[in-house]
Every structure is written in structure tokens, then in C-alpha cells.
Amino acid sequence: KKIPIEVFKTGKSQTVGDLMDVDIRGQHDRTIAVGIRHVLCVPLKVTPMSEAGSGARDMKVIGVLYLDGREKSSIMSDATKSSLEAFATQAALAIESARLYAESAEKARLDHDLKIAAEIQRNMLPDPVFEVGAIDLAAESIPCRTVGGDFYDYLEIGERGLGFALGDVAGKGPPAALLAAAVQSNFVALAPVSADPAETMARVNKALLRRAIDARFATMFYGAVTADGRLSYCNAGQEPPLVIGRNGVAWLETGGPVLGLLSIATYEFETVALEPGDLVVVCSDGVTEARNRAGDEFGRDRLVEAVRGRQGRKPEAVLEHLIAEVRLFAEGAPQADDVTALVLRYRGRG
């Protein structure tokens, strides 16, 4: 065992003409006891993928070929050594090819599973354009990976009008997507049976804490608009939405802390009056924190400029312009976070 271990560590072949001659410390007593005296051991080497084609000489040892025997002539010939080294080269290539193929097959399977997960996540979102009574809206979510941690949703809640929400889970990828599905499901279940947005947030927070996950939480904005233009809302740590109207810009900040983190969290709601033509713009921080190649953030000022003066226009047109402005600003820089936005327009009773 000593010789194969040493060959594996050093990456150098070893030829032992007689174990009796080298066994000074008695390390090979058991091997000698069964009559083995002559050993030939060569490493199995491959070129790491990162160095393939680069001219690098460093090789990775993935195993050894070991040959021993009682007769020196059968083991120690040059022909035997050359044959074993040639076989080691071919064996190493075959083993590495099999490993790479297995990795490729596993990656393809994972990619397939992620594509199915992304399709399921898209199907969990409602239609991106919706109109009911005096209200219409448009929304879009663009994950930075195959699946993301952002979501939007809306539903009719009786006399309280149309409820709409946008959430953002901490993190990215599949873990965030799983928690986002939990937050969205709780919202849809609890919003219709809660008296106001603050109560909805408190119930969602309590539901998430029943199965709390360390260092995982969510931000969410939830608003409800009635036919006469009363917007009641609660903001749980979400990037503050804005109302664009004739009288300027108003930020919607009343609410409480993030969801799923604090058992003692309390939430408040506020009611504001919308005028015909007013726009409510809700974004995840993937919009305001989008960066360009210089490292500058899109920020709230650019958000306001992107939607200012567009009140009265169709939400889908406003949303399309906003997303286009974010993409233009961040052109050439990788998307670092999920980008989600929802635009609601109050048309008025007439």
C-alpha cells in the first residue's frame, strides 16, 4: 500500500527490483511474506479541463496502476514498463472521459429540471396585463437566473376592490424561488380574509415564521384599490412604490419590517386618494439597484424620470418604457438581481 500511495501523491512512477533491498523499516513485511518481491507502479494522469489546450504541463493524478510479482524477469522488463505506462495513459483518458460524460449528463438533467421549475414559476404568476372596472395594471418579472425570488400577484377582494402585491425574497436562484412561492401562496390565501393590508402582512409574517428558515426573509408591498380610488396599502420593507399624479410624486412607505424574520413585528397601513389618471409604480430593488458598467445605480431619481409625465397612459406602455430605461442604463453590465415591476392606473369611475 505504501508504494501506490506515494506514487499517487508524487505523480511519479516507481520501479522496485527487490522489496528486500528497500524495506529498511519493515514497511513491506506483509507483501514480502506472501512472496511478492518485484513491483511496478505508474500514475494515471490527465490534463485538467482549465489547462487543456493552454500548453500547461501540470497534470492531475486520478489513480495508479499497480503490478507486482514473484519473478523479476516478468515484471522488470522494459517492454512491461512501456506497456503499463501506455495502458495507464489510455486508462486515464477513458476514466476522465467517463467522468466528464457523467458530469455533463447530470448538468443536462439539472438544466432540464430548472427549465421546468422556471415554467412552473411563470405559470404561478397571473396574466401580465389585467383590467377590471376603473383599474388596469401591467407587470413583468425578469429573473437574473433561470428561476428567481421575485413575484407579483393580484386578486379581487370584494368591497375592498382589487388587491395587488409585489414581493422580493432575499437571495437568488432555486432557494429564493421556493420561498417566493410560499410567500405568494400565503398572500393569495390570507388577503381576502383580512380586514386591511396591515392585517394581511401580519398574518403572512406569522405563517412564514411557523417554518422559519435562517437568514431567509422577504419584502413585500400590498395595496388594495377601490372603485372610488381609495388606495389602502402596507409596505413590509419593500422598495417604496410611488404614485405619479397631477400634483407630483408621492412615496408609499407606511408599513413595517420584512416578513419571516421578526415574531414581534407589527404593521400599519395608510389610505390615500387616487385621482383619475394616477399611476402607482411598484418595483423590486433589482430596478433601483441595477448597475451600469461604471458601477452606478439606476436609483430612485432615474425611476421617477422614467415614469414622470406618463400618468393617464396605459400601464403596459409605462412598464415597457421603464424596463427599457433600466436595460439601456445597465447595458453591458451583467444582471445582478431579479427585476420586477408593476404599474397600476386608476382611470376613475367615468
Side-chain angles (χ1 to χ4, degrees), residues 80-98:
T80 300
K81 184 177 180 181
S82 297
S83 297
L84 192 63
E85 289 177 343
F87 182 73
T89 300
Q90 297 301 318
L93 290 174
I95 293 170
E96 183 68 0
S97 296

Side-chain angles (χ1 to χ4, degrees), residues 195-214:
D196 54 62
E199 182 180 331
T200 299
M201 289 298 195
R203 289 186 172 191
V204 172
N205 183 60
K206 185 177 181 180
L208 293 177
L209 287 171
R210 289 185 66 247
R211 299 288 187 271
I213 305 172
D214 289 343

Side-chain angles (χ1 to χ4, degrees), residues 1 62 94 171 178 232 314:
K1 293 182 179 179
I62 61 172
L178 286 172
S232 297
K314 287 188 175 182

Side-chain angles (χ1 to χ4, degrees), residues 14-34:
Q14 280 200 29
T15 302
V16 180
D18 194 329
L19 285 175
M20 293 289 290
D21 296 335
V22 300
D23 193 30
I24 300 173
R25 300 179 180 178
Q27 295 176 333
H28 305 291
D29 286 345
R30 293 183 180 179
T31 306
I32 294 172
V34 297

Side-chain angles (χ1 to χ4, degrees), residues 251-310:
W251 298 93
L252 306 178
E253 300 180 292
T254 300
V258 299
L259 302 170
L261 196 62
L262 302 172
S263 59
I264 59 172
T266 59
Y267 298 90
E268 299 177 351
F269 77 97
E270 180 184 21
T271 301
V272 298
L274 299 179
E275 299 292 334
D278 283 0
L279 295 175
V280 181
V281 181
V282 193
C283 301
S284 67
D285 58 11
V287 173
T288 53
E289 295 179 5
R291 294 182 180 272
N292 59 17
R293 284 180 290 183
D296 302 320
E297 288 190 351
F298 188 73
R300 294 185 186 180
D301 291 341
R302 289 187 178 89
L303 171 61
V304 172
E305 288 303 314
V307 296
R308 189 192 299 273
R310 294 180 179 272

Side-chain angles (χ1 to χ4, degrees), residues 13 34 77 84 91 95 98 113 118 126 131 149 171-172 182 184 196 202 228 230 235 243 250 264 273 295-296 314 336:
S13 300
V34 297
S77 68
L84 192 63
I95 293 170
D113 289 348
E131 179 178 336
K172 303 176 185 65
Q184 183 181 1
D196 54 62
D228 60 359
R230 288 180 293 111
N235 187 351
V243 177
I264 59 172
D296 302 320
K314 287 188 175 182

Side-chain angles (χ1 to χ4, degrees), residues 128-131 135-139 277-281 307 309-322 342-347:
V129 178
F130 180 73
E131 179 178 336
I135 303 159
D136 53 2
L137 63 79
D278 283 0
L279 295 175
V280 181
V281 181
V307 296
R310 294 180 179 272
Q311 59 267 30
R313 299 191 185 184
K314 287 188 175 182
E316 52 266 41
V318 179
L319 178 65
E320 182 180 356
H321 178 74
L322 172 59
L342 181 150
V343 178
L344 178 143
R345 177 179 62 167
Y346 176 64
R347 297 195 310 275

